[in-house]
């Protein structure tokens, strides 16, 4: 009898771990999470097959992440409702976080204009809510729902917040590093980017190691297709904000040097390519990844890019597929600003490198 009971429990656990997801019809009113979907999102996020922000809702990037994970593991691709992945490794959906006094170092006033941002030493989160959404890879609406009736605009040290149980993004562990060390054994890996699908994949031979949603450029500022390579990776970069570069791809003499911080326009990481001005980087708008357009680069969430760079190294090939930039109207092309004269060399016989030109470093 005891053996039969044990066998029955084992079969029940095995069935529950691999049974199809339950997606209510109709869905509960947003932002109430569907916990089966949230469990899948946490699983995919942990495997670095990013579903985008965690919200417990079915959507485009959760479906794409699922199919890419299934394909990379030799499984048939399915829709969410037919997913039978073993999600038993996600033992907890939620965790708790006590806000610390030292967290306030990363929160503060954030001017909206580049001219004002350039006067600061650091571009912080503008609220503890933003700090928490990035730390736990999630939508603010999810945190607000999980922590009712707590007022998320009034958070303070000592408050305990309920959040998705993911590997937290630790902004406090990031420091300025001009060029991350090279990893020779990663040289054979390839990044493949599909700007139409808004996806980035890391490949090692025939094996996809990771997949992330991105925001590429579009229209006149579409991310340029082609085969490129990584010139270097900068952690906690500054950024030379030049409206002419962002709108026309032409460097001007009017610009602002923006400091480091999670709300820097290129986020907390820059992966520079051998196409001037083009790179893969973090963002100050993780909630809009895949749902907007960039100025030609490929941006992804800070919580994704810090894990992505652990799979990369200088010299790796980057293959970009997608539509080329659309031609500008003749009247606009004629009105493009004049390129400023080259800056003086920093020292006799030395040239300014790619990163110096991009970030304005001497």
């Amino acid at each position: 009898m005891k053996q039969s009971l044990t066998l029955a429990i084992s079969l029940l656990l095995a069935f529950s771990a691999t049974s199809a997801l339950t997606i209510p019809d109709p869905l509960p009113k947003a932002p109430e999470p569907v916990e089966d979907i949230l469990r899948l999102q946490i699983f995919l996020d942990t495997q670095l097959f990013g579903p985008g922000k965690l919200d417990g809702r079915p959507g485009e990037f959760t479906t794409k992440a699922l199919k890419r994970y299934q394909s990379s593991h030799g499984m048939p691709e399915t829709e969410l409702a037919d997913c039978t992945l073993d999600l038993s490794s996600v033992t907890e959906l939620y965790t708790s976080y006590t806000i610390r006094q030292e967290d306030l170092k990363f929160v503060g006033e954030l001017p909206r204009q580049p001219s004002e941002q350039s006067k600061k030493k650091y571009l912080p989160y503008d609220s503890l809510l933003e700090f928490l959404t990035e730390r736990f890879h999630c939508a603010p609406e999810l945190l607000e729902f999980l922590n009712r009736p707590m007022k998320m605009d009034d958070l303070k040290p000592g408050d305990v917040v309920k959040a998705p149980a993911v590997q937290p993004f630790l902004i406090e562990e990031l420091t300025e590093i001009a060029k991350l060390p090279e990893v020779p054994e990663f040289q054979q890996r390839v990044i493949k980017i599909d700007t139409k699908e808004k996806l980035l994949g890391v490949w090692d031979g025939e094996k996809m190691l990771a997949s992330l949603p991105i925001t590429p450029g579009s229209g006149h500022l579409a991310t340029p297709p082609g085969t490129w390579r990584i010139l270097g990776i900068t952690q906690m970069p500054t950024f030379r904000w030049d409206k002419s570069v962002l709108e026309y791809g032409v460097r001007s003499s009017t610009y602002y040097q923006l400091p480091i911080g999670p709300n820097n326009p290129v986020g907390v990481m820059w992966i520079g390519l051998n196409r001037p001005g083009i790179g893969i980087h973090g963002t100050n708008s993780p909630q809009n990844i895949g749902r907007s357009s960039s100025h030609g680069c490929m941006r992804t969430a800070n919580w994704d890019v810090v894990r992505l760079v652990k799979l990369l190294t200088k010299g790796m090939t980057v293959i970009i597929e997608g539509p080329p930039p659309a031609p500008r109207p003749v009247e606009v092309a004629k009105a493009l600003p004049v390129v400023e004269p080259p800056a003086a060399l920093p020292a006799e016989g030395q040239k300014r490198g790619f990163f110096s030109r991009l970030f304005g470093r001497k």
Side-chain angles (χ1 to χ4, degrees):
M1 178 68 180
K2 186 175 181 179
Q3 281 185 325
S4 299
L5 180 60
T6 301
L7 178 60
I9 293 174
S10 299
L11 290 173
L12 178 62
L13 289 174
F15 174 78
S16 62
T18 59
S19 59
L21 300 182
T22 300
I23 304 177
D25 185 20
L27 289 170
K29 185 177 179 180
E32 182 178 350
V34 177
E35 293 200 334
D36 270 9
I37 298 294
L38 183 58
R39 186 179 300 277
L40 174 63
Q41 289 178 335
I42 291 173
F43 174 85
L44 293 169
D45 179 272
T46 300
Q47 303 297 319
L48 204 53
F49 280 74
K53 60 186 177 184
L54 306 185
D55 58 5
R57 315 292 293 184
E60 174 188 2
F61 288 111
T62 299
T63 299
K64 287 179 176 179
L66 169 63
K67 290 183 177 181
R68 284 196 155 197
Y69 178 84
Q70 290 170 326
S71 176
S72 73
H73 288 75
M75 306 173 185
E77 296 181 6
T78 69
E79 300 300 324
L80 294 182
D82 301 315
C83 168
T84 57
L85 282 181
D86 182 357
L87 305 179
S88 60
S89 60
V90 183
T91 56
E92 299 290 342
L93 281 183
Y94 305 111
T95 187
S96 62
Y97 181 76
T98 302
I99 297 174
R100 308 166 301 169
Q101 186 67 37
E102 54 263 38
D103 294 339
L104 298 182
K105 293 189 300 183
F106 305 100
V107 178
E109 180 188 4
L110 180 66
R112 297 303 172 191
Q113 297 302 317
S115 57
E116 295 302 313
Q117 292 179 353
S118 67
K119 298 174 184 178
K120 296 181 71 68
K121 294 182 179 180
Y122 188 84
L123 295 180
Y125 297 111
D126 65 5
S127 66
L128 279 168
L129 175 58
E130 186 183 23
F131 169 86
L132 290 169
T133 57
E134 191 150 280
R135 200 172 191 88
F136 294 103
H137 317 181
C138 64
E141 296 82 8
L142 177 62
L143 282 185
E144 289 168 346
F145 179 85
L146 295 178
N147 291 281
R148 295 171 305 166
M150 184 183 296
K151 300 291 185 182
M152 302 303 283
D153 291 335
D154 298 328
L155 293 172
K156 61 187 183 303
D159 287 345
V160 180
V161 177
K162 184 178 180 180
V166 294
Q167 177 187 351
F169 169 69
L170 303 177
I171 185 67
E172 63 270 28
E173 293 187 357
L174 298 180
T175 57
E176 284 188 89
I177 303 176
K179 290 187 179 180
L180 291 182
E182 297 180 37
V183 187
E185 55 266 36
F186 292 173
Q187 282 281 347
Q188 80 284 357
R189 294 180 177 179
V190 176
I191 295 177
K192 296 180 182 179
I193 294 170
D194 186 330
T195 59
K196 189 174 181 180
E197 289 294 315
K198 299 182 179 180
L199 291 173
L200 175 155
V202 181
W203 293 77
D204 193 338
E206 298 299 315
K207 176 72 172 178
M208 184 186 291
L209 304 178
S211 174
L212 298 174
I214 61 166
T215 294
S218 63
H220 304 312
L221 299 170
T223 303
T227 299
W228 315 101
R229 61 184 177 84
I230 296 176
L231 285 186
I233 304 171
T234 299
Q235 182 171 285
M236 295 301 281
T238 59
F239 182 68
R240 185 185 188 278
W241 190 94
D242 186 332
K243 185 177 181 180
S244 175
V245 171
L246 296 176
E247 294 186 355
Y248 304 109
V250 179
R251 190 179 173 98
S252 77
S253 58
T254 303
Y255 64 91
Y256 299 104
Q257 193 70 26
L258 304 188
I260 67 171
N263 264 309
N264 185 286
V266 295
V268 300
M269 204 74 67
W270 172 265
I271 303 164
L273 307 185
N274 63 327
R275 169 71 184 250
I278 299 297
I280 304 163
H281 59 81
T283 184
N284 54 4
S285 303
Q287 304 298 324
N288 296 323
I289 289 295
R291 294 169 175 84
S292 58
S293 62
S294 73
H295 293 88
C297 291
M298 297 141 285
R299 61 177 180 239
T300 191
N302 283 335
W303 63 74
D304 281 337
V305 77
V306 295
R307 296 180 293 166
L308 172 67
V309 297
K310 294 178 181 178
L311 303 176
L312 313 180
T313 191
K314 177 181 177 180
M316 276 178 58
T317 298
V318 178
I319 301 172
I320 300 175
E321 297 180 344
R328 294 181 182 277
V330 174
E331 61 272 19
V332 174
K334 289 182 177 179
L336 288 177
V338 177
V339 181
E340 65 176 330
L345 295 178
E348 183 178 356
Q350 294 181 355
K351 295 182 180 180
R352 295 184 74 198
F354 171 78
F355 285 92
S356 297
R357 296 196 306 273
L358 181 67
F359 298 115
R361 288 175 176 158
K362 297 180 179 179

